[in-house]
Amino acid sequence: MSDPIAFIDLGAQQARIRDKVDVAIAKVLDHGMYINGPEILELEAQLGTFSGSEHVIGCASGTDALGLVLMARGLRPGDAVFVPAFTFIATGEAVAWLGATPVFVDVDPKTFNMDPRHLEASIATAREQGLKPACVIAVDLFGQPADYPALKDICDAEGLFLLADAAQSYGGALADKRVGSLGDAATTSFFPAKPLGCYGDGGAIFTDDADMADHIRSLRNHGAGADRYDNVRIGMNGRLDTIQAAILLEKLAIFEEELVSRQRIAERYNATLEDVATVPFVGNAAKSAWAQYTLRVADRDAVRARCQDAGIPTQVYYPIPLHKQTAYKHYPTGPGGLPVCDALAADVLSLPMHPYLDEATQDRIIESVRTAIAG
Ligand SMILES: *Cc1c(COP(=O)(O)O)cnc(C)c1O
């Protein structure tokens, strides 16, 4: 019997940096600044350098990061926020928190990211319905940046704010810009299984707008003003823990290498599976962070069951698009429904993907997936 295969093996990475993480955590225990310790500022500075963003604000999760940006924009009931329906629930959830209306938009069948033409049509429909278009949240699904140049043109023409939900794409890039510097602001997540993950919940916000950054820093800390006990706006407790920042600094030190490894694995999967399944399409100018490696296959559930029998863990991201979920199905969609989101929900299949997947294990996965698809 060979060893069980992990879908995402966090243990291999931990074994590599365990000594350094132990030292980093011990330092926090020694200085005792568990909240807003020096590691927070150090991490924010290093992330800013990494992604070419002027201001980085650590926060408690990728979901809070989205909520904080939308709060800073002053979103209110009657505002429409355009969200792709093929994403993790948090993208729509943060909009609903503020009483604004998520309007679900279809995605491109090749990249799985927001379809700019359907966005334009959806903006017109929302206006007809009496909503006030305010913001577009683009999601960089599975690690590939969305089509920011096209989305930015639409947002500029319509006067909308463009927020990048980069929870899955930190480390990716589009042309000469790294994720974090794409969009008017960007958010990411440090959930353990994301490309750059911590050992708990965490997230960050990226923007070049100094006023917005100050506003978000205040919101993150209960709406604090200059006087600690005179809160000047309604905020929240949305801070990143110092211990998580200390862990992230150690992980950031090996992140570039891990991205290279993810890219190599994705290329190998592509070369060995493209004759039996639709392999991921990454645009010419785009670099994916490969949070997920996701095929489109006919008869997906049967293929998945055969993989499981062969000891190959797979996942379905996402089986139910947002516009079909119980708490969200009353929100509007763009015109014509969302046929691409519906089709993807039926045929996507994600394979094990992490930087420590060795070639022998890749070969086992490739063999088994080919056999499973052959039936
Ligand atoms: C994971 C994820 C989030 C939320 O991040 P958390 O840190 O888990 O709150 C938001 N959007 C997308 C697209 C995600 O994949």
Side-chain angles (χ1 to χ4, degrees):
M1 269 300 280
S2 28
D3 292 337
I5 296 175
F7 185 72
I8 295 181
D9 185 354
L10 296 174
Q13 184 203 50
Q14 189 189 110
R16 175 177 175 192
I17 57 170
R18 179 63 190 252
D19 293 356
K20 291 186 167 131
V21 168
D22 282 343
V23 171
I25 292 174
K27 261 194 203 158
V28 176
L29 299 188
D30 287 342
H31 68 52
M33 287 176 268
Y34 309 122
I35 304 292
N36 288 337
E39 287 83 358
I40 299 284
L41 283 180
E42 178 61 29
L43 177 70
E44 290 174 343
Q46 287 196 23
L47 291 172
T49 305
F50 185 92
S51 55
S53 344
E54 298 259 331
H55 306 280
V56 181
I57 303 124
C59 65
S61 71
T63 309
D64 277 6
L66 290 165
L68 283 162
V69 173
L70 298 179
M71 281 168 83
R73 292 297 299 170
L75 227 66
R76 58 179 70 221
D79 288 344
V81 178
F82 300 87
V83 175
F86 195 63
T87 178
F88 180 64
I89 195 61
T91 317
E93 181 184 29
V95 177
W97 278 354
L98 297 168
T101 302
V103 177
F104 296 119
V105 178
D106 213 357
V107 298
D108 178 276
K110 284 166 79 182
T111 64
F112 309 164
N113 283 330
M114 184 183 268
D115 175 354
R117 287 178 49 199
H118 196 243
L119 170 63
E120 277 187 308
S122 303
I123 293 169
T125 306
R127 279 219 173 86
E128 283 159 27
Q129 292 171 351
L131 292 165
K132 183 168 163 278
C135 179
V136 171
I137 308 184
V139 176
D140 303 342
L141 206 75
F142 304 150
Q144 171 169 213
D147 187 354
Y148 288 98
L151 298 175
K152 183 75 186 142
D153 283 348
I154 297 168
C155 287
D156 286 349
E158 302 275 357
L160 305 182
F161 188 82
L162 179 56
L163 172 57
D165 180 349
Q168 302 182 5
S169 62
Y170 199 67
L174 194 60
D176 57 349
K177 291 190 123 190
R178 269 211 161 138
V179 164
S181 63
L182 296 161
D184 295 324
T187 60
T188 198
S189 164
F190 303 127
F191 181 81
K194 307 282 174 165
L196 181 63
C198 59
Y199 290 143
D201 279 309
I205 297 151
F206 305 79
T207 180
D208 288 344
D209 179 338
D211 290 339
M212 177 172 232
D214 286 345
H215 191 166
I216 291 172
R217 282 182 197 284
S218 161
L219 289 170
R220 173 182 71 169
N221 192 28
H222 301 291
D227 178 333
R228 190 171 163 198
Y229 290 102
D230 181 26
N231 295 292
V232 296
R233 50 176 71 84
I234 313 276
M236 62 194 271
N237 176 356
R239 296 175 301 244
L240 178 68
D241 289 340
T242 307
I243 282 182
Q244 299 302 345
I247 292 162
L248 282 163
L249 283 165
E250 296 306 329
K251 293 204 179 195
L252 191 56
I254 58 167
F255 188 49
E256 298 265 18
E257 263 180 70
E258 292 184 339
L259 290 165
V260 171
S261 172
R262 285 176 188 271
Q263 177 66 30
R264 191 172 50 232
I265 295 161
E267 283 172 14
R268 202 147 175 272
Y269 273 155
N270 284 346
T272 53
L273 294 169
E274 67 188 352
D275 60 328
V276 295
T278 305
V279 298
F281 170 88
V282 177
N284 275 337
K287 197 170 160 285
S288 178
W290 295 109
Q292 300 297 340
Y293 181 90
T294 303
L295 300 172
R296 299 188 68 178
V297 290
D299 210 5
R300 189 263 322 278
D301 293 340
V303 170
R304 185 167 192 224
R306 289 194 281 270
C307 287
Q308 189 178 353
D309 291 343
I312 308 300
T314 61
Q315 295 288 344
V316 174
Y317 300 120
Y318 295 91
I320 312 177
L322 270 53
H323 68 296
K324 296 272 171 75
Q325 296 197 23
T326 303
Y328 293 85
K329 59 190 177 206
H330 63 287
Y331 289 116
T333 68
L338 311 181
V340 181
C341 292
D342 293 335
L344 290 173
D347 71 11
V348 286
L349 186 68
S350 299
L351 304 188
M353 169 54 86
H354 62 83
Y356 302 93
L357 200 55
D358 60 54
E359 290 206 354
T361 310
Q362 291 167 43
D363 289 341
R364 267 178 72 195
I365 294 165
I366 291 159
E367 273 283 316
S368 303
V369 170
R370 291 185 66 89
T371 306
I373 291 172

